[in-house]
Amino acid sequence: MSNALVVYSSLYGHTRRYAQWIAEDLDCPVRERREVTPEGPKDCGARIFGGALYAGGVSGAEFLKKHQALLADKPLCLFTCGVADPEAPRNAESLRASALRALPEPLREKTALFFLRGGIDYGRLSLRHRAMMAALAAVLRRRPEDGRSEEDRAILETYGKAVDFTDRAGIAPLVSRVRADLGWSAPSFE
Ligand SMILES: Cc1cc2nc3c(=O)[nH]c(=O)nc-3n(C[C@H](O)[C@H](O)[C@H](O)COP(=O)(O)O)c2cc1C
């Protein structure tokens, strides 16, 4: 078992799935953020926090603020999970801005950021979330097409549907980074 800890916040399960995949690859524990005691991250060599994107905010970001002193001493990775495609160049800036907003100032520079793609199933959304998406889609539809960001487009294209873009391969860069942080060396085949 490796000396890392994965903590996540997920409302509909996409972020949890990524957190579990990461924990499997790193052979380390994975916890929902509310299950984490202050002692939890204490002796870990690396911490990974994953939160879902809701209206540009990262769910569970309070965890990072609350434990900032504890998280300052060891490598930290933050991954976000949203419906917008992180490979689309025009999304890069807004995803980065969302991730940085979730981090308290002293953690910003040291934290490695990763952006993963989740999914959405309108049939499973809470009434509040459905109403929020309906209002957002109405605003976006009124916007001229060339004024819509990639994120806006993704929201309109997936509106009302059930889509799942989760992809285990997406975690590879994060897993490599944590392995390097923990000083794992690649196996030698000589
Ligand atoms: C009300 C609402 C707001 C959302 N806002 C964003 C957003 O700003 N950016 C984004 O990429 N995805 C957004 N999404 C999509 C979610 O991030 C996506 O469904 C994600 O996979 C949810 O993760 P979870 O299942 O772990 O909660 C939003 C979804 C809802 C319902």
Side-chain angles (χ1 to χ4, degrees):
M1 176 156 302
S2 80
N3 188 19
L5 174 69
V6 184
V7 179
Y8 67 89
S9 166
S10 174
L11 274 67
Y12 298 101
H14 303 88
T15 314
R16 180 176 61 234
R17 191 176 308 152
Y18 279 119
Q20 287 169 340
W21 283 335
I22 292 165
E24 272 172 33
D25 279 13
L26 292 172
D27 191 19
C28 75
V30 53
R31 302 266 180 275
E32 205 281 331
R33 80 180 152 114
R34 281 169 296 211
E35 292 172 4
V36 181
T37 59
E39 289 72 42
K42 219 174 204 165
D43 299 318
C44 291
R47 291 80 175 239
I48 300 103
F49 181 85
L53 288 171
Y54 285 94
V58 177
S59 68
E62 313 85 78
F63 176 90
L64 298 166
K65 297 209 165 69
K66 191 169 154 195
H67 296 294
Q68 57 178 295
L70 194 62
L71 295 172
D73 64 334
K74 297 277 167 47
L76 178 65
C77 289
L78 167 64
F79 75 87
T80 64
C81 173
V83 83
D85 182 1
E87 299 292 320
R90 285 169 68 187
N91 284 343
E93 211 172 301
S94 74
L95 287 170
R96 206 180 140 69
S98 295
L100 288 175
R101 267 199 310 274
L103 285 163
E105 220 279 315
L107 297 182
R108 275 184 202 154
E109 210 163 295
K110 64 164 288 191
T111 306
L113 306 177
F114 299 88
F115 308 103
L116 300 172
R117 202 167 189 201
I120 194 162
D121 178 352
Y122 278 76
R124 287 183 58 219
L125 290 187
S126 67
L127 278 179
R128 183 168 157 267
H129 280 161
R130 220 175 292 179
M132 280 170 74
M133 294 313 274
L136 178 60
V139 169
L140 298 179
R141 278 194 204 101
R142 283 198 292 273
R143 210 170 268 175
E145 282 212 26
D146 58 1
R148 292 176 193 161
S149 68
E150 302 278 354
E151 205 168 348
D152 299 342
R153 266 187 260 273
I155 286 167
L156 287 177
E157 276 161 21
T158 56
Y159 185 73
K161 298 181 188 155
V163 286
D164 186 350
F165 303 108
T166 53
D167 176 8
R168 187 165 184 146
I171 66 172
L174 186 155
V175 168
S176 301
R177 168 66 186 246
V178 178
R179 285 182 175 155
D181 286 341
L182 291 172
W184 288 20
S185 47
S188 162
F189 297 103
E190 281 172 35

